[in-house]
């Protein structure tokens, strides 16, 4: 009887762990003369057909010199403004064709939950494979949020398909690298962990919006910050600041047209 219980536990454990992955990425952004870097972690459960991608704040924005203690938690600050330490979450339920994005703009107070149907990019996949690091990869291209992306994916990990990271869903393999055609953003895989027990949970937050509402608010907020900064630098009223020729507001979440 004892041996039977042991065998059943082993079988249960193998079933429970089968098809669970944790995939790590380094995400970089080039802006002006700065090279920013963030950590990305993709959790994927083959059996449940669910994934979630967590993206950290850019680490270069967080400086150890600016650190205070509040209510027992450490809050990093930059130029007297608190920087959000929470991760953005990109949750996908492929079985039910749903996605839930938990996004924010620098400070955690601006967190917004966006829920809608999964939007698959229109991928163009090249037929010939080649070697990248240790994988045999294929190149795929697509336009996502007004930005053209070049992606490398591999079929060497046959269980991992369609899983991301970020908005890179709908490809028949594991994405190992991605970059936009302006060489501003890059994703690069660093490590894969198999048989991970991590529970994939859908993000929750009280403030919700659709993606257009979120982007409109972020663009408007950014322009107000720019107007205030210019007003202070040149000692002119904010309402007289002309932002018609101002740079576009660009993030991984949307591109201002």
């Amino acid at each position: 009887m004892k041996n039977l219980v042991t065998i059943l536990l082993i079988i249960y454990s193998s079933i429970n762990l089968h098809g669970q992955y944790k995939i790590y990425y380094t995400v970089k952004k080039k802006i002006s003369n700065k090279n920013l870097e963030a950590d990305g972690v993709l959790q994927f459960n083959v059996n449940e057909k669910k994934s979630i991608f967590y993206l950290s704040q850019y680490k270069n924005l967080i400086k150890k010199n600016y650190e205070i203690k509040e209510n027992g938690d450490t809050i990093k600050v930059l130029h007297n403004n608190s920087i959000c330490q929470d991760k953005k979450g990109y949750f996908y339920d492929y079985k039910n064709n749903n996605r839930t994005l938990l996004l924010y703009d620098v400070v955690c107070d601006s967190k917004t939950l966006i829920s809608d149907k999964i939007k698959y990019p229109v991928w163009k996949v090249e037929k010939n494979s080649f070697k990248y690091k240790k994988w045999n990869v294929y190149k795929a291209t697509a336009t996502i949020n007004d930005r053209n992306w070049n992606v490398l994916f591999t079929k060497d990990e046959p269980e991992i398909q369609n899983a991301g990271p970020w908005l890179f869903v709908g490809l028949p393999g594991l994405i190992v690298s991605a970059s936009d055609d302006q060489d501003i953003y890059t994703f690069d895989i660093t490590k894969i962990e198999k048989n991970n027990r991590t529970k994939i949970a859908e993000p929750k937050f009280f403030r919700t919006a659709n993606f257009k509402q979120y982007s409109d608010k972020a663009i408007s907020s950014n322009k107000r910050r720019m107007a205030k900064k210019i007003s202070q630098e040149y000692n002119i009223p904010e309402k007289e600041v002309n932002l018609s020729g101002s740079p576009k507001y660009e993030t991984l979440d949307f591109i201002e047209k």
Side-chain angles (χ1 to χ4, degrees):
M1 184 65 181
K2 185 177 180 181
N3 291 337
L4 178 60
V5 171
T6 303
I7 292 170
L8 289 174
L9 285 173
I10 292 171
I11 293 173
Y12 172 79
S13 298
S14 64
I15 293 172
N16 189 44
L17 292 173
H18 179 71
Q20 296 187 48
Y21 293 86
K22 207 171 188 179
I23 306 154
Y24 297 82
Y25 294 87
T26 296
V27 181
K28 295 182 179 180
K29 178 181 180 181
K30 294 179 182 177
I31 179 170
S32 300
N33 60 343
K34 294 180 181 179
N35 292 313
L36 306 179
E37 186 174 311
D39 293 323
V41 181
L42 173 65
Q43 297 173 15
F44 180 55
N45 190 299
V46 178
N47 302 321
E48 293 182 356
K49 290 185 167 38
K50 292 180 181 178
S51 75
I52 189 164
F53 178 66
Y54 291 110
L55 181 64
S56 74
Q57 179 62 269
Y58 289 109
K59 293 180 287 186
N60 310 58
L61 294 178
I62 303 168
K63 301 184 182 299
K64 292 182 179 178
N65 295 338
Y66 300 93
E67 189 170 290
I68 59 174
K69 295 282 186 179
E70 184 174 296
N71 298 328
D73 296 325
T74 300
I75 300 176
K76 309 282 191 352
V77 296
L78 182 65
H79 301 310
N80 297 321
N81 293 318
S82 61
I83 299 296
C84 183
Q85 297 294 291
D86 290 352
K87 298 177 176 65
K88 297 183 181 181
Y90 302 80
F91 170 84
Y92 291 89
D93 181 347
Y94 304 99
K95 188 181 296 183
N96 296 308
N97 196 33
N98 292 326
R99 72 171 185 170
T100 304
L101 313 181
L102 180 58
L103 307 176
Y104 54 81
D105 179 29
V106 183
V107 293
C108 286
D109 288 345
S110 65
K111 276 185 182 177
T112 303
L113 193 70
I114 300 169
S115 297
D116 56 20
K117 296 296 183 184
I118 297 175
K119 297 178 177 65
Y120 291 97
V122 179
W123 294 104
K124 295 180 181 178
V125 180
E126 296 184 1
K127 293 181 180 179
N128 297 326
S129 65
F130 57 94
K131 205 77 174 178
Y132 178 79
K133 295 186 176 179
K134 66 177 183 178
W135 293 284
N136 298 303
V137 299
Y138 297 84
K139 182 179 178 181
T141 57
T143 300
I144 302 173
N145 291 354
D146 304 323
R147 188 180 292 277
N148 299 320
W149 289 90
N150 302 305
V151 170
L152 300 181
F153 71 95
T154 181
K155 299 180 181 179
D156 294 349
E157 302 285 345
E159 281 197 319
I160 305 176
Q161 297 186 34
N162 189 44
W166 187 54
L167 306 181
F168 305 131
V169 290
L171 282 170
L174 166 67
I175 291 174
V176 299
S177 177
S179 62
D180 69 287
D181 61 356
Q182 298 180 51
D183 197 32
I184 295 176
Y185 295 102
T186 59
F187 290 69
D188 202 39
I189 194 169
T190 58
K191 186 173 63 172
I192 301 176
E193 292 179 356
K194 297 182 179 180
N195 296 341
N196 191 281
R197 291 180 177 273
T198 304
K199 179 72 174 177
I200 296 179
E202 184 174 357
K204 302 291 182 184
F205 195 68
F206 65 89
R207 185 182 298 130
T208 61
N210 60 43
F211 194 79
K212 186 179 185 305
Q213 291 170 333
Y214 168 79
S215 61
D216 287 348
K217 182 179 178 181
I219 292 168
S220 176
S221 175
N222 182 62
K223 287 184 175 179
R224 286 197 302 271
R225 287 195 297 267
M226 291 176 63
K228 184 175 182 180
K229 183 178 179 181
I230 293 171
S231 170
Q232 292 173 345
E233 286 183 0
Y234 295 96
N235 195 26
I236 58 175
E238 284 187 39
K239 63 182 180 180
E240 295 182 12
V241 176
N242 183 3
L243 294 176
S244 58
S246 61
K248 292 181 179 180
Y249 189 93
E250 299 182 344
T251 75
L252 280 174
D253 303 311
F254 65 87
I255 310 297
E256 179 184 357
K257 293 183 178 180

